[in-house]
Amino acid sequence: MPKTKNTRKAKPDIQFILANERTLLAWIRTGLTLIAGGVAVAFLAADARYGVMVGMGAIIAGGFISMVGYWKYRSADTAVRKGRLPGPGRGELYVVIGVSLFAVILVAVRILSP
């Protein structure tokens, strides 16, 4: 009896797809929280010397975090649908470096301001 090839594609596990979507929502939720905090600081501290700068920095960081989350989502989704593990990526590293630099800049501005 001749062997037949199984030409049916393996379906990706729905649990991984849904977990990836939940992770994307967490990235977006974090970004929205930073954006909302930045708007609050920018408007409440509008007459403070660096309040607007801090608020705008938080808004930009929130947008960046949301974009990183989307890039991670697309990368993981593509890998899962191909039956592979997603690569480690560097998105988290960029977020940590950005937040750390922003913190250092804020401390330096506070120390150097009269």
Side-chain angles (χ1 to χ4, degrees), residues 1 19 22 24 35 39 60 63 66 73 76 90 96-97 101-102:
M1 183 176 238
R22 285 190 302 272
L24 171 63
I35 291 169
V39 168
I60 291 168
S66 295
Y73 165 78
R90 292 192 176 119
V96 169
I97 289 171
L101 284 175
F102 188 56

Side-chain angles (χ1 to χ4, degrees), residues 13 16 27 33 42 70 76 108 111:
D13 190 349
F16 293 119
W27 280 92
T33 302
Y70 179 73
I111 289 172

Side-chain angles (χ1 to χ4, degrees), residues 1-113:
M1 183 176 238
K3 291 183 181 179
T4 58
K5 287 186 179 180
N6 186 1
T7 57
R8 204 172 107 193
K9 270 187 166 177
K11 291 184 181 179
D13 190 349
I14 192 69
Q15 289 178 337
F16 293 119
I17 293 173
L18 293 176
N20 191 32
E21 289 177 1
R22 285 190 302 272
T23 302
L24 171 63
L25 292 174
W27 280 92
I28 292 172
R29 188 172 47 246
T30 303
L32 285 172
T33 302
L34 270 172
I35 291 169
V39 168
V41 168
F43 282 98
L44 292 176
D47 29 337
R49 188 169 185 184
Y50 296 105
V52 174
M53 181 181 81
V54 171
M56 291 299 142
I59 292 169
I60 291 168
F64 179 70
I65 286 173
S66 295
M67 287 189 310
V68 168
Y70 179 73
W71 292 328
K72 297 280 295 176
Y73 165 78
R74 293 295 301 165
S75 171
D77 187 63
T78 301
V80 166
R81 291 181 189 278
K82 290 181 179 179
R84 293 183 285 136
L85 290 174
R90 292 192 176 119
E92 297 89 348
L93 175 64
Y94 297 144
V95 169
V96 169
I97 289 171
V99 169
S100 299
L101 284 175
F102 188 56
V104 168
I105 290 169
L106 290 177
V107 168
V109 165
R110 180 66 182 136
I111 289 172
L112 298 175
S113 67

